[in-house]
C-alpha cells in the first residue's frame, strides 16, 4: 500500500492539471446540465453535478480495471517493458500538450471513436437531465468519450501490472478532474481562471513530463526509490 500512495498522488495531480483539457471536452455538457435547473435551486444543481461526475469517474475506474487485466497479463513477459516505455512516452506527450508546446496527443483520440459512435446517441437521449440516476448514467456513458488525456493516463495505470492498482489510479485521476468541472457547473470562475493561467499550465506540463521520465525503465528509478 505504501508503494501505491505516491502513484495515487501522481494520478490526482494528473487529473487536476488536466482539468483545462477536461473543460474543453465536457465544459459544454456542464452548462447543459445546469441550464435545465433554476439558479435558485443551487443544492439540486450541485447534486446533479456530483452524480454526473461520479458516473464519469466510475467509468474511468472500470476502464482501468479492464485494461489493468491486460497489464497484469503481460507484467511478467518481455512485453511489460514495451508497455511501460509507451506509457512513459504518452505521459511526456501529455505534459507537452498541457504546457501548450505540442498537440499531437489528440490524434490518439481516434482510437475510441468507433465505440463513441454507439454510445453518443444513448447519452444524448438522457438530456435534459431530470433526475439523479439519469445524471449518474449520463456521466457513466460520457466517461467513454475519446480523450487523449484519459487514454494516456489509462495506459500508464495499466503499465503498473496490477489490476486493482490500475482501477484505483484511474479513480484517483477522475477525482482530480472534479474541481474544474464542478467549478464550471457552479460558475466558480476563480478556479477556472487560475488553472487556465499560462504559468500554471506550463508548470503542470513540466511536472507531467517528469512523471513520464520517471516512468521510463532505467537505473534512475532504483536511485529515486533509494532516496
Amino acid at each position: 500500500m505504501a508503494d501505491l500512495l505516491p502513484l495515487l498522488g501522481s494520478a490526482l495531480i494528473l487529473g487536476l492539471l488536466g482539468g483545462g483539457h477536461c473543460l474543453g471536452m465536457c465544459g459544454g455538457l456542464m452548462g447543459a446540465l445546469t441550464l435545465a435547473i433554476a439558479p435558485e435551486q443551487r443544492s439540486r444543481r450541485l447534486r446533479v453535478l456530483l452524480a454526473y461526475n461520479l458516473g464519469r469517474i466510475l467509468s474511468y475506474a472500470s476502464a482501468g480495471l479492464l485494461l489493468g487485466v491486460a497489464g497484469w497479463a503481460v507484467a511478467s513477459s518481455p512485453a511489460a517493458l514495451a508497455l511501460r516505455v509507451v506509457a512513459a512516452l504518452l505521459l511526456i506527450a501529455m505534459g507537452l500538450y498541457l504546457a501548450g508546446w505540442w498537440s499531437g496527443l489528440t490524434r490518439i483520440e481516434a482510437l475510441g471513436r468507433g465505440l463513441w459512435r454507439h454510445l453518443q446517441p444513448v447519452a444524448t437521449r438522457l438530456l435534459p437531465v431530470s433526475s439523479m440516476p439519469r445524471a449518474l448514467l449520463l456521466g457513466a456513458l460520457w466517461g467513454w468519450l475519446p480523450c487523449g488525456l484519459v487514454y494516456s493516463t489509462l495506459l500508464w495505470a495499466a503499465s503498473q501490472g496490477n489490476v486493482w492498482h490500475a482501477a484505483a489510479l484511474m479513480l484517483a485521476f477522475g477525482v482530480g478532474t472534479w474541481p474544474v468541472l464542478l467549478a464550471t457547473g457552479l460558475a466558480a470562475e476563480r478556479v477556472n481562471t487560475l488553472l487556465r493561467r499560462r504559468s500554471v499550465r506550463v508548470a503542470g506540463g513540466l511536472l507531467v513530463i517528469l512523471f513520464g521520465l520517471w516512468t521510463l525503465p532505467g537505473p534512475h528509478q532504483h536511485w529515486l526509490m533509494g532516496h
Side-chain angles (χ1 to χ4, degrees):
M1 183 63 183
D3 292 341
L4 181 60
L5 290 177
L7 292 173
L8 289 172
S10 300
L12 276 168
I13 293 171
L14 286 173
L16 180 62
L17 296 178
H21 181 73
C22 294
L23 187 60
M25 301 289 283
C26 299
L29 181 60
M30 293 294 96
L33 283 172
T34 55
L35 281 175
I37 303 172
E40 61 271 12
Q41 295 180 319
R42 192 172 182 84
S43 61
R44 182 170 175 241
R45 177 177 292 186
L46 178 60
R47 289 196 301 271
V48 166
L49 288 172
L50 286 173
Y52 164 80
N53 282 289
L54 177 61
R56 183 175 56 83
I57 68 168
L58 286 177
S59 69
Y60 292 166
S62 299
L65 195 67
L66 291 173
L67 202 60
V69 172
W72 168 79
V74 302
S76 58
S77 72
L81 184 64
L83 178 63
R84 197 162 185 86
V85 170
V86 172
L89 293 176
L90 282 174
L91 281 172
I92 293 170
M94 188 196 309
L96 293 172
Y97 172 80
L98 292 175
W101 294 331
W102 185 63
S103 59
L105 180 68
T106 56
R107 294 173 188 168
I108 71 170
E109 293 171 2
L111 296 174
R113 286 176 186 162
L115 175 63
W116 183 241
R117 274 198 296 268
H118 297 287
L119 294 178
Q120 185 178 20
V122 181
T124 304
R125 284 197 292 270
L126 293 171
L127 292 170
V129 172
S130 56
S131 65
M132 297 278 286
R134 202 178 180 101
L136 185 68
L137 180 57
L138 178 64
L141 291 172
W142 214 266
W144 297 95
L145 178 73
C147 174
L149 178 67
V150 174
Y151 291 170
S152 301
T153 309
L154 183 58
L155 193 57
W156 167 69
S159 72
Q160 306 305 316
N162 184 296
V163 175
W164 301 110
H165 285 187
L169 290 176
M170 289 307 296
L171 188 67
F173 166 78
V175 170
T177 65
W178 272 36
V180 171
L181 292 180
L182 283 177
T184 301
L186 296 173
E189 289 300 324
R190 288 185 180 180
V191 176
N192 293 330
T193 300
L194 174 65
L195 291 173
R196 284 175 178 171
R197 286 182 181 173
R198 173 70 179 165
S199 59
V200 173
R201 291 182 61 82
V202 169
L206 288 172
L207 187 57
V208 175
I209 290 171
L210 287 176
F211 286 156
L213 293 173
W214 178 81
T215 301
L216 280 171
H220 65 286
Q221 289 200 335
H222 298 289
W223 183 85
L224 288 170
M225 286 299 185
H227 289 71

